[in-house]
Each structure stands twice: as C-alpha cells, then as structure tokens.
C-alpha cells in the first residue's frame, strides 16, 4: 500500500492561541490518520521531559526565573534536540502532528516587553529614559532557522473573547488575556510569510467541524509531500 512503503511522512504543525483546541485536535488528527491507514504520531513543544524541557517547564510553572533571551534559546534548543528524531520518523514514512513549533517561540517571545530602560541623549542636552525596544521578529526567528520546515501549518483561529468563554486560562506564565492578545498579533505577522503553507481554520466551529477541516488539509499534504524533500525553515 502506498501509505506504508517508500515515501516520507509529512510534517504538520498546529499553532494558535491558548484554548484554541490545539492539543485535542492534534490527538484526534493522529487517531483519524491512523484509522485511514497512515502511519502518524504526535509530538509537542515544549517537550518537557528532556533536561532542557525540564528547565523550560519549571520556568513556565513559575518555579524558576530565566532571563528572557536565555529562555527563548532554551525553547529553540528543545526543538533542535528533537531534530534527529523528527528526520528519522519522517524518513521512515511517519507523518508527525506537532502541537506548537517555532512559530510559538517567535510569537510568545516577541510579545514580551524587555525589562529595563535605556538612557538617550536629547538634542538640547541632558538625557531621557526610554523603554528598551521589544524583541524583533527577526531576532526571535534566528535560532530556529534551518529546522525541518513544516509541510503544513494549521492556525486554529479564535478571538480572545471566544477563548475566554472556554473557561479560565491556567496559572502558567503567559496565561493572561492581555498577553494572549499580543501573541495573536504576532501570529498574524508570521502568517504574512508566503514561503510557508499556512492554513487558517476557524476554531470557533464545533470540535467535529474543526477536526474534519484539519483532516482534509492533512490528507492532501501527505499526498503532496511524499515525493518532496523536507525543507529548511526560514532559510
Ligand atoms: P503548552 O501549554 O502548549 O505546553 O505551551 C506552554 C507555553 O509555552 C505556552 O504558553 C506557549 C509557550 N511557548 C513559548 O513561549 N515558546 C515556545 O517556543 C513554545 C513551543 C511555547
Ligand atoms: Mg498551556
């Protein structure tokens, strides 16, 4: 059967704000693909079980503080340490459904205010205090340049209002509606990049409708990707 032999699997990423339903949909997609006879496995980032992942997990649970640039690099390192595994799985024909990837990395870090102030000299003498600039998208992308490029990035789109109807955010770092609104804007900027295969799915639909939409997109990309080499992200 062509689904089994000789072709690489597809790299499918699910992105979106918290409460958009990424984890549920990722699980359901893997299950549905397997029922159709595809080899499919789930993966998620951050993957908190490695040494780097434990550092990131403890940071997210607010059990530790890590300087902003440093934790950004740790999130990226957590992806890089899985690259050999990702490549091996894809090569052996397994389609990977990944819950968050480099896009989360960029969207979240670039939504942070840099702490601290900068003194700048005014035209008429003297100094004035100004906020340090935010993390640029450009800076945030660099550590992830060259990662395996997703064949498909599904963006589960939900308004902050819809998301808040689904119950409270958790208590981890970043789980506030103000921060999530900034994150949404950064995702929108990332989606302007036409070198990536972004597909926006309305996550306010029923769980079933969202699932069917993602499944259809995924089956199409599995067929398309199987004869193509895996690309390099942002390279
Ligand atoms: P999770 O709730 O899906 O486990 O994700 C944990 C949090 O980590 C979530 O708020 C998004 C954030 N995050 C980053 O800040 N950078 C990253 O690179 C990734 C993958 C997630
Ligand atoms: Mg979370």
């Amino acid at each position: 059967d062509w689904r089994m032999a000789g072709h690489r699997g597809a790299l499918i990423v699910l992105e979106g704000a918290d409460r958009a339903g990424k984890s549920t949909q990722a699980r359901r997609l893997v299950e549905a693909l397997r029922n159709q006879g595809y080899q499919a496995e789930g993966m998620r980032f951050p993957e908190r079980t490695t040494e780097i992942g434990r550092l990131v997990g403890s940071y997210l649970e607010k059990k530790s503080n890590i300087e902003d640039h440093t934790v950004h690099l740790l999130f990226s390192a957590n992806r890089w340490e899985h690259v050999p595994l990702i490549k091996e799985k894809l090569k052996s024909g397994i389609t990977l459904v990944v819950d968050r990837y480099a896009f989360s990395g960029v969207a979240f870090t670039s939504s942070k205010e840099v702490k601290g102030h900068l003194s700048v000299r005014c035209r008429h003498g003297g100094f004035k205090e100004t906020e340090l600039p935010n993390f640029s998208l450009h800076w945030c992308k660099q550590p992830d340049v060259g990662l395996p490029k997703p064949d498909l990035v599904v963006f589960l789109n939900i308004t902050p209002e819809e998301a808040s109807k689904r119950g409270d955010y958790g208590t981890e770092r970043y789980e506030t509606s103000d921060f999530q609104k900034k994150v949404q804007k950064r995702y929108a900027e990332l989606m302007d990049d036409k070198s990536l295969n972004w597909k926006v799915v309305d996550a306010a639909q029923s769980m079933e409708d969202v699932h069917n939409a993602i499944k259809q997109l995924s089956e199409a990309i599995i067929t398309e990707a199987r004869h193509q080499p895996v690309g390099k992200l942002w390279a």
Side-chain angles (χ1 to χ4, degrees):
D1 179 27
W2 63 267
R3 285 168 212 212
M4 308 291 175
H7 301 294
R8 78 162 172 101
L11 183 58
I12 298 171
V13 169
L14 302 191
E15 286 281 2
D18 277 301
R19 311 230 127 250
K22 289 183 299 300
S23 305
T24 309
Q25 291 295 341
R27 210 175 325 111
R28 289 206 54 186
L29 177 60
V30 169
E31 200 178 273
L33 291 176
R34 285 182 174 170
N35 288 339
Q36 301 283 322
Y38 297 95
Q39 296 184 78
E41 289 182 17
M43 199 177 258
R44 65 175 312 153
F45 292 111
E47 170 47 66
R48 303 187 193 207
T49 59
T50 64
E51 281 178 63
I52 293 168
R54 277 192 287 280
L55 291 174
V56 166
S58 127
Y59 171 81
L60 288 169
E61 292 169 27
K62 299 177 188 163
K63 289 177 181 157
S64 66
N65 288 313
I66 303 176
E67 191 275 328
D68 291 330
H69 301 77
T70 311
V71 79
H72 182 74
L73 297 174
L74 288 176
F75 273 110
S76 176
N78 184 230
R79 285 182 281 281
W80 279 106
E81 67 178 338
H82 286 88
V83 166
L85 185 66
I86 292 173
K87 286 185 171 167
E88 194 182 300
K89 300 250 185 211
L90 294 177
K91 196 174 168 194
S92 74
I94 298 167
T95 284
L96 290 176
V97 176
V98 185
D99 183 355
R100 294 191 191 279
Y101 201 52
F103 315 100
S104 282
V106 175
F108 279 75
T109 299
S110 67
S111 297
K112 288 180 169 180
E113 311 278 339
V114 177
K115 296 215 172 58
H117 290 80
L118 194 66
S119 284
V120 291
R121 192 190 293 272
C122 300
R123 273 206 320 180
H124 304 293
F127 290 88
K128 128 182 134 191
E129 293 284 302
T130 169
E131 291 268 309
L132 283 168
N134 290 335
F135 287 93
S136 68
L137 287 192
H138 178 77
W139 187 89
C140 292
K141 283 157 81 172
Q142 297 318 301
D144 287 308
V145 167
L147 279 179
K149 181 181 177 176
D151 299 295
L152 169 67
V153 193
V154 177
F155 184 75
L156 293 180
N157 194 29
I158 190 165
T159 62
E161 292 71 37
E162 272 303 321
S164 72
K165 282 187 207 156
R166 298 186 173 182
D168 292 335
Y169 289 116
T171 55
E172 287 201 333
R173 216 178 274 267
Y174 307 142
E175 294 182 324
T176 67
S177 66
D178 275 357
F179 195 79
Q180 297 285 325
K181 278 179 197 162
K182 290 190 198 170
V183 169
Q184 290 272 47
K185 287 192 189 142
R186 294 284 105 81
Y187 272 127
E189 290 174 50
L190 287 172
M191 282 191 274
D192 286 339
D193 180 354
K194 302 303 175 211
S195 75
L196 282 155
N197 183 22
W198 284 99
K199 298 284 182 198
V200 180
V201 170
D202 176 8
Q205 303 173 89
S206 74
M207 201 196 280
E208 205 57 35
D209 287 348
V210 175
H211 169 68
N212 287 328
I214 299 176
K215 186 168 151 245
Q216 209 171 354
L217 291 167
S218 300
E219 288 197 82
I221 209 65
I222 290 170
T223 307
E224 212 178 292
R226 65 195 157 114
H227 294 298
Q228 295 166 6
V230 180
K232 286 185 187 293
L233 180 64
W234 294 325

